[in-house]
């Protein structure tokens, strides 16, 4: 029956110590901050904890391009209210003041795209790394993708290099 626990799951839950879990969580948060400063001691900590529990542990390291998108803002000069926007992972940061330019309709961003030189492309459709690259190649200083509904999804647009050629955000329909 769904929702019932197996005997193993019941034993594991009974063995959990909320205080111990809180201490591990606090330590991992502190280690994350240290790692951001250039010193990652998390693997050693995980080895020690797992070893203390008698568990074998194999750690694997891999290179990855990981972005942490921050906030996005989008507003029109004729409107005095910002539009909710989502940063697309892999999108480069804008200068501190953002990017201001004419908004130019680029259709679905796939077909015959008009000259976008110096403008911001408005695209009705889902973002793709190739699509953002195509808009940048046509001179777009940025791209605004209109989601199919009211909830824009943070789709990665960085492509193989990890970072898109131009800033890109998504807005709801």
């Amino acid at each position: 029956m769904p929702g019932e626990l197996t005997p193993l799951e019941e034993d594991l839950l009974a063995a959990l110590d909320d205080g111990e879990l809180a201490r591990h969580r606090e330590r991992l948060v502190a280690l994350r901050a240290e790692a951001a400063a250039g010193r990652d001691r998390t693997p050693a900590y995980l080895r020690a904890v797992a070893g203390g529990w008698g568990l074998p542990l194999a750690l694997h390291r891999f290179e990855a391009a990981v972005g942490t998108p921050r906030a996005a803002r989008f507003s029109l000069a004729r409107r005095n209210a910002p539009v909710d926007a989502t940063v697309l992972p892999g999108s480069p940061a804008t200068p501190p003041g953002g990017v201001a330019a004419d908004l130019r309709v680029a259709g679905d961003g796939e077909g015959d795209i008009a000259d976008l030189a110096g403008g911001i492309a408005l695209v009705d459709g889902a973002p793709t790394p190739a699509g953002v690259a195509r808009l940048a190649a046509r001179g777009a200083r940025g791209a605004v993708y209109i989601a199919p509904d009211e909830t824009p999804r943070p789709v990665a647009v960085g492509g193989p290099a990890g970072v898109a050629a131009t800033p890109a955000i998504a807005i709801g329909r």
Side-chain angles (χ1 to χ4, degrees):
M1 178 179 270
E4 290 186 22
L5 298 176
T6 67
L8 175 61
E9 291 169 332
E10 288 176 356
D11 290 346
L12 288 171
L13 285 173
L16 285 178
D17 176 346
D18 289 340
E20 183 180 6
L21 289 176
R23 284 189 299 280
H24 289 306
R25 184 180 61 246
E26 288 170 12
R27 183 65 184 137
L28 289 169
V29 167
L31 287 169
R32 180 179 180 195
E34 288 179 20
R39 182 151 191 231
D40 191 1
R41 296 188 302 179
T42 307
Y45 177 75
L46 293 174
R47 272 191 202 98
V49 171
W53 291 337
L55 298 174
L57 178 67
L59 294 174
H60 302 274
R61 186 177 301 266
F62 64 95
E63 296 297 319
V66 178
T68 306
R70 294 217 164 88
R73 288 184 302 280
F74 177 67
S75 60
L76 300 171
R78 288 185 244 169
R79 263 182 100 184
N80 206 8
V83 176
D84 288 336
T86 299
V87 177
L88 298 176
S91 173
T94 61
V99 174
D102 290 336
L103 194 60
R104 300 190 183 150
V105 177
D108 63 4
E110 299 295 325
D112 186 25
I113 302 171
D115 180 23
L116 301 171
I120 296 175
L122 181 64
V123 183
D124 189 2
T128 64
V132 173
R134 200 170 12 266
L135 297 171
R138 296 288 229 166
R141 294 184 59 206
V144 177
Y145 284 86
I146 303 171
D149 54 32
E150 286 301 313
T151 307
R153 310 286 187 296
V155 178
V157 296
V163 178
T166 191
I169 63 172
I171 61 174
R173 175 108 0 230

